[in-house]
Amino acid sequence: WLHPLAGHVDPSFAQEQAALPSVVAATGRPLGLLHIYAPWARPAPLASLRAVTSAGSTPLLDWGCGPDVANVASGADDQLISAYATSLRSFGAPVLLRWCWEMNLVALHPQIGGPTGFVSAWNHIRALFRTAGATNVAFVWCPGLTGVDPAPYFPGAAAVDWIGVDGYDRNGTQTFASLFAPFYRVWLPSGKPMMVAETGASASAQVPYVNSIGTDAPAMPGFKAVAYFDAPGPVAAWQFTPEGLQAFAHLAAQPYFQPH
C-alpha cells in the first residue's frame, strides 16, 4: 500500500483539512497517509484522528518530544503517557505514532539527553503503551538525514515497528535516490517496513524531484510509504506549486503507488 501524502503542519490541522480537497481532486483518490502534528502535553487529538480516517487515510501522528525527556524515562510523565495510550486505544483504528522525530538533529533537541536518554525514554513509552493495550498503535522511529549518525539512537528492532526518515532537496539538485538510497541500504536489513515520513523540494526543483520519486522509489521496495511535506518549513517553502501538484497527481496515478 502506498503512500504519497500531502499535509500541512502550520498553523493548524484545520488548514490541512481545508487544502485536502484540492489534493484529493488532483490525485483522484484518498491519500494513503496524513500527518497530524501534536504537542507533548496535550490530550491525544482524537477528533483529528477521526477526520483523517473519515477521509480514507491512515493517520501518522507526530507526537512532540516534551520539554525534558529525562522525565519520561524516570516515570515522572507516566500519567500523561498512559492517558495518551488509553485514548489511542479507544480510537480503535490503526495509528502510526512518530514520537520525537529527527531526534538525531542535536541542536533542535537539547532536551533529549543524547542517544542513551532517547532510547530509555522510547522504551519506557513503548512499555506503557503495551500495558495500556494500545495494540492499534505502530511505533515509527524517524531520524533526519541531516543529523548525526542515527544508529546510537535506535532502540532495537523489538521496540520499533517502522523505520522512517526525513530528508529534503535543499539545494535543488537532489533526486529521491541521491537523498535516500544510502539510508535505505543501511536500514533495510533490519527487516522493518520503511517510510520517507517527510520530503519536499522548493518551487523551482519540485517537478523534477517529484518525478524522481516515481523513477527511484520502485527500486527501493522496502519503502512502504512516501510522505510529501506540502507546507512551508523553516529552511524553505515546500508547498506544492500548481505544476508540482500536477506532478504529484501523475505520481499517485502510477501503478506502483496505487493502494493494494
Side-chain angles (χ1 to χ4, degrees), residues 91-230:
F91 172 63
V95 177
L96 295 165
L97 181 65
R98 191 172 67 136
W99 176 70
C100 202
W101 65 98
E102 299 180 1
M103 77 302 291
N104 64 324
L105 273 62
V106 178
L108 296 181
H109 298 300
Q111 80 279 36
I112 286 178
T116 300
F118 174 82
V119 170
S120 296
W122 177 283
N123 287 330
H124 193 75
I125 292 172
R126 175 90 174 190
L128 290 174
F129 269 68
R130 189 179 299 114
T131 298
T135 56
N136 58 312
V137 178
F139 279 69
V140 182
W141 176 78
C142 187
L145 284 182
T146 57
V148 301
D149 179 12
Y153 292 84
F154 188 58
V160 171
D161 299 305
W162 284 71
I163 290 177
V165 61
D166 292 351
Y168 292 80
D169 178 12
R170 296 176 181 270
N171 57 22
T173 64
Q174 300 281 7
T175 65
F176 186 83
S178 67
L179 277 175
F180 295 111
F183 183 91
Y184 180 82
R185 287 192 293 267
V186 170
W187 292 99
L188 182 64
S190 71
K192 299 294 180 179
M194 300 175 68
M195 72 166 66
V196 174
E198 292 182 19
T199 194
S202 58
S204 61
Q206 206 169 92
V207 170
Y209 180 72
V210 172
N211 288 342
S212 79
I213 299 174
T215 301
D216 300 342
M220 292 180 270
F223 282 130
K224 305 301 183 183
V226 177
Y228 189 91
F229 190 82
D230 178 25

